[in-house]
Amino acid sequence: MNTRSVNTLSIDAGRLLGRLQELGRIGHDEQGRLARVAATDADKAGRDRLVGWMKEAGLEIAVDRIGNVFGIWAGAADPRPVMVGSHIDTVVNAGIYDGTYGVLAGLAVIETLQAAGFVPRRPIVVVAFTNEEGARYAPDMMGSLVYAGGLGVEEALATVGTDGSVLGEELARIGYAGDREPGFLKPHAYVELHIEQGPILEQVGLPIGAVETLQGISWQRVTIKGTANHAGTTPMSMRRDAGQAAARVMTFLRDHVTRSHAQSVATVGCLRLEPDVINVIPSRATFTVDLRDPDESRLRDAEAALARFLDELSVEEQVRISVERLARFEPVLFDEALVERIEEAASRRGLPSRRMTSGAGHDAQMIARIAPSAMIFVPSHQGISHNPREHTEPQDLAAGADVLLDVVMQLCAAT
């Protein structure tokens, strides 16, 4: 029965922190780096441990065809579940909190409510989505994208990874090619707890972020073809230098977003020059462009500005330029009522909060297509993530989980 008020319950912080550490020890490569990359043996080991904890909590385990793992606390009258979670796959040389924190905190919420004798009106489901990071298979956030109907399951399963493997075959090999159809549970709401992966909360000294928007993302691969020639004998005015042209693109991007004075950001994260010889002018430059903005019109403007610049550059540098779109996600506006619930839950616990935009992509942006969704952020030390130095203070981890607990209780009691 629901006999306790929201603020009298708290998750078992010691157990949550212990599980974060334990899962963080699973999936290290030969160099000692945490590399629990999607659908690898390391990912299997992490999934197996998570499923073990879910079973210990008495949850029904379900796995869908894209490998998303669900722990279901069923038995409620209303079939539409409150869903919480994130992912447990990592990049290479990762930290231990990204994604994993949201999944294990979601499990902690269920265990806390079970111990308190709470009877939810709706099922509560904790989910670990497949391939959120996209480190082996593109695009990232694949499991939640398939779940929300944004990518066909057969197309996703046929994806070829960076190592030549096929996702569907690898999921079957590790035992996580499930039989449920993606989307088999239609959430009443989805709430994702996550470390910020940025410096803002720590900088302003606040423990909780109520995420109201998530930046749109545009990924492109640019290829510039010039002419290889001798580095010593070819005059600067007579060169068709693909490397120089690539450098001009990087400078243009930085200048463009800086002049905008908006929340736009631009990154060239991958760059390869050919023939990659010290005394040869590059004949080919291949690089990625990552553009992000919480405003769709500004994101489109940035894409258009880049396209115009590439056209002009091709003429000026006498090079050929081609562009391949890798991924494109529009900005997300999360559910206002859920954002307000997060703010109110934090306030009742005496935890100051602020509304935020997420600069990183998350599974919540995909689930927002099919259900009211929102996110809770907790501070990241120095904004560091995707790095072994990733760290959030224990009291902040516990505080975020308690806010998630309160929000889930309210969602399970509301009509």
Side-chain angles (χ1 to χ4, degrees):
M1 64 181 69
N2 294 342
T3 58
R4 303 191 185 195
S5 66
V6 166
N7 285 346
T8 60
L9 291 181
S10 291
I11 59 98
D12 185 333
R15 181 167 57 187
L16 172 60
L17 296 172
R19 285 175 173 171
L20 283 166
Q21 293 295 326
E22 182 175 345
L23 198 53
R25 290 190 291 270
I26 296 175
H28 285 75
D29 64 14
E30 294 178 354
Q31 289 76 44
R33 304 172 300 180
L34 179 58
R36 206 167 49 243
V37 177
T40 59
D41 291 341
D43 186 27
K44 170 181 170 52
R47 288 166 175 260
D48 288 349
R49 191 68 194 96
L50 172 63
V51 168
W53 284 324
M54 289 177 169
K55 289 180 176 178
E56 289 172 11
L59 304 186
E60 174 192 344
I61 308 300
V63 181
D64 68 11
R65 293 179 61 208
I66 197 63
N68 298 323
V69 177
F70 303 84
I72 304 168
W73 186 20
D78 190 326
R80 299 169 301 160
V82 174
M83 187 177 288
V84 294
S86 192
H87 63 97
I88 66 166
D89 68 304
T90 74
V91 297
V92 175
N93 204 30
I96 69 171
Y97 302 105
D98 176 7
T100 303
Y101 170 52
V103 176
L104 296 182
L107 179 57
V109 164
I110 291 176
E111 291 170 325
T112 301
L113 295 177
Q114 289 174 332
F118 182 81
V119 180
R121 291 189 66 254
R122 299 182 173 90
I124 304 175
V125 176
V126 57
V127 56
F129 288 109
T130 294
N131 190 42
E132 193 272 352
E133 294 292 3
R136 192 183 186 194
Y137 303 100
D140 56 351
M141 298 167 285
M142 182 185 284
S144 53
L145 179 62
V146 171
Y147 195 82
L151 177 65
V153 64
E154 297 297 343
E155 180 182 353
L157 291 173
T159 302
V160 178
T162 56
D163 56 359
S165 63
V166 178
L167 175 58
E169 295 174 0
E170 288 293 272
L171 286 172
R173 183 184 66 82
I174 67 171
Y176 282 92
D179 56 2
R180 299 291 186 96
E181 287 298 323
F184 72 99
L185 292 171
K186 304 300 182 185
H188 169 73
Y190 175 76
V191 186
E192 183 168 350
L193 174 62
H194 210 282
I195 60 170
E196 182 192 346
Q197 299 182 279
I200 295 173
L201 287 174
E202 183 180 63
Q203 187 177 68
V204 299
L206 295 177
I208 298 293
V211 184
E212 60 179 349
T213 56
L214 191 146
Q215 291 197 113
I217 302 174
S218 171
W219 282 3
Q220 302 173 64
R221 180 184 291 116
V222 180
T223 301
I224 301 177
K225 296 180 180 179
T227 301
N229 215 328
H230 197 291
T233 62
T234 310
M236 299 299 290
S237 62
M238 299 177 66
R239 298 182 178 208
R240 298 175 61 210
D241 187 339
Q244 168 66 18
R248 288 188 61 185
V249 176
M250 287 185 272
T251 301
F252 165 79
L253 289 169
R254 184 178 181 87
D255 291 346
H256 178 78
V257 299
T258 300
R259 285 194 304 269
S260 72
H261 299 291
Q263 292 176 274
S264 305
V265 291
T267 304
V268 172
C270 301
L271 171 64
R272 184 175 71 252
L273 301 180
E274 298 175 28
D276 195 27
V277 177
I278 191 170
N279 61 348
V280 178
I281 297 166
S283 61
R284 184 185 183 101
T286 306
F287 57 94
T288 57
V289 176
D290 180 321
L291 295 171
R292 305 191 188 208
D293 198 291
D295 182 87
E296 174 66 14
S297 63
R298 286 200 305 261
L299 184 59
R300 289 180 179 174
D301 288 346
E303 291 173 316
L306 173 61
R308 290 193 298 270
F309 180 77
L310 292 177
D311 287 342
E312 297 166 1
L313 183 69
S314 178
V315 175
E316 293 175 11
E317 296 288 343
Q318 301 181 66
V319 294
R320 289 177 293 160
I321 301 177
S322 60
V323 178
E324 175 189 3
R325 183 174 296 285
L326 301 177
R328 180 58 160 84
F329 300 120
E330 292 186 359
V332 174
L333 181 64
F334 286 126
D335 184 79
E336 174 66 19
L338 273 183
V339 176
E340 289 179 357
R341 285 187 187 275
I342 292 166
E343 291 177 310
E344 292 166 359
S347 177
R348 282 193 297 270
R349 288 196 178 260
L351 299 168
S353 66
R354 64 173 287 170
R355 293 198 172 199
M356 301 185 67
T357 293
S358 172
H362 296 287
D363 292 311
Q365 76 188 80
M366 302 307 174
I367 304 305
R369 301 181 180 195
I370 59 172
S373 302
M375 296 188 70
I376 304 166
F377 275 175
V378 294
S380 293
H381 180 55
Q382 297 181 347
I384 295 171
S385 187
H386 286 184
N387 185 306
R389 293 170 54 212
E390 179 180 272
H391 179 72
T392 296
E393 292 296 329
Q395 64 268 25
D396 291 328
L397 295 169
D402 282 339
V403 171
L404 178 65
L405 169 67
D406 294 354
V407 172
V408 169
M409 288 184 70
Q410 293 171 14
L411 290 170
C412 286
T415 57

